[in-house]
Structure formats: C-alpha cells, structure tokens
Amino acid sequence: MTRIKRGYIARKRRTKMRLFASSFRGSHSRLTRTITQQKIRALVSAHRDRDKQKRNFRRLWITRISAVIREKGVSYSYSKLIHDLYKRQLLLNRKILAQIAISNRNCLYMISNEIREKVDWKEYTEKF
C-alpha cells in the first residue's frame, strides 16, 4: 500500500496551535509537542487565576473600606458596618462601597452613621 501523507487538516490544527503559542519563548513556540503541553498549562493557569483574581479584588475592596472606616471612628469596624448593612437590607456590595470610599469619603461616613444610629437605637430599645 502506498503511504498516505497527513493532509491540510493536520497542518491547519498545528498552525492554529502555533498562533496560540507565538508569544512563548524558545522551543515552547516552535516544537509541536511542547506547544501542546504549554497550551494546556497556560489554559489551566488562566482558569485557576481567574478565581484567584476575584479573591484578590474582594480582599482589596475590604481593605479599602476598613481603612476609611477606621480613619473616622475607632469604635466602628468593617464587620459591624457589613452586619448593619445586611440588617437594614441595603444592597450595596463591597465593590460599590470601596468605590464610594475612594471617590467620596463623606458619603461613606454619612451611610455608616445613618446605619449605626438607626440600628443601635432599635437594638437598645428592644433589649431594655
């Protein structure tokens, strides 16, 4: 039997992989087997780091909010602010609160003071 050469489909697949790996260095962008390994590794890292990025942004927002809260009142903390927000059923997530904290601190102070006054007053009247 005559030998059948792999046609344009395999070449098409390899060029597609090469285009993906064109920015890699050394043999990682030249050799087909290493390109496939590096492609798998790159996609795994991208998938993992998307979750890590969400985690890091949430930490950043929490740090920004707590820093602004700590500046004004020492007795009021980040955890109490979030707890009071949930009690009042205000739909402000941490991203929005962090943006308010950076752009307009007085607005965040007003929000926290308003929440604290209403919640504290209700709590103390119910207890005693």
Side-chain angles (χ1 to χ4, degrees):
M1 290 185 83
T2 56
R3 183 174 153 261
I4 299 173
K5 292 201 273 184
R6 294 298 297 258
Y8 69 98
I9 295 171
R11 196 178 322 116
K12 199 170 161 184
R13 189 187 72 234
R14 287 190 200 112
T15 51
K16 200 161 57 172
M17 283 189 335
R18 284 212 168 87
L19 286 172
F20 181 84
S22 61
S23 61
F24 297 167
R25 293 182 67 188
S27 63
H28 297 296
S29 67
R30 290 190 197 96
L31 304 177
T32 307
R33 194 175 291 174
T34 17
I35 286 174
T36 54
Q37 291 171 355
Q38 286 304 115
K39 182 180 177 184
I40 292 168
R41 189 173 178 152
L43 293 174
V44 165
S45 297
H47 183 265
R48 181 193 63 229
D49 292 340
R50 276 195 293 274
D51 289 337
K52 198 178 279 189
Q53 187 183 29
K54 291 179 184 75
R55 207 177 308 143
N56 289 340
F57 269 112
R58 186 182 168 94
R59 285 177 63 193
L60 176 70
W61 298 329
I62 290 171
T63 307
R64 285 178 176 171
I65 295 166
S66 61
V68 171
I69 289 293
R70 256 190 253 126
E71 271 182 15
K72 195 72 172 179
V74 180
S75 61
Y76 205 59
S77 68
Y78 164 80
S79 59
K80 288 179 185 173
L81 172 72
I82 296 296
H83 179 68
D84 293 345
L85 279 171
Y86 277 108
K87 272 189 173 175
R88 291 282 306 274
Q89 295 178 344
L90 290 173
L91 300 174
L92 290 173
N93 60 9
R94 288 159 182 81
K95 181 179 180 179
I96 300 297
L97 283 173
Q99 287 177 349
I100 291 171
I102 290 172
S103 62
N104 194 358
R105 290 181 183 195
N106 293 332
C107 183
L108 187 68
Y109 295 145
M110 287 169 44
I111 291 170
S112 65
N113 289 336
E114 192 72 29
I115 291 169
R116 187 169 33 169
E117 288 170 5
K118 301 247 177 163
V119 170
D120 288 346
W121 183 75
K122 285 181 181 177
E123 281 181 1
Y124 289 124
T125 54
E126 289 171 3
K127 285 182 182 176
F128 298 110

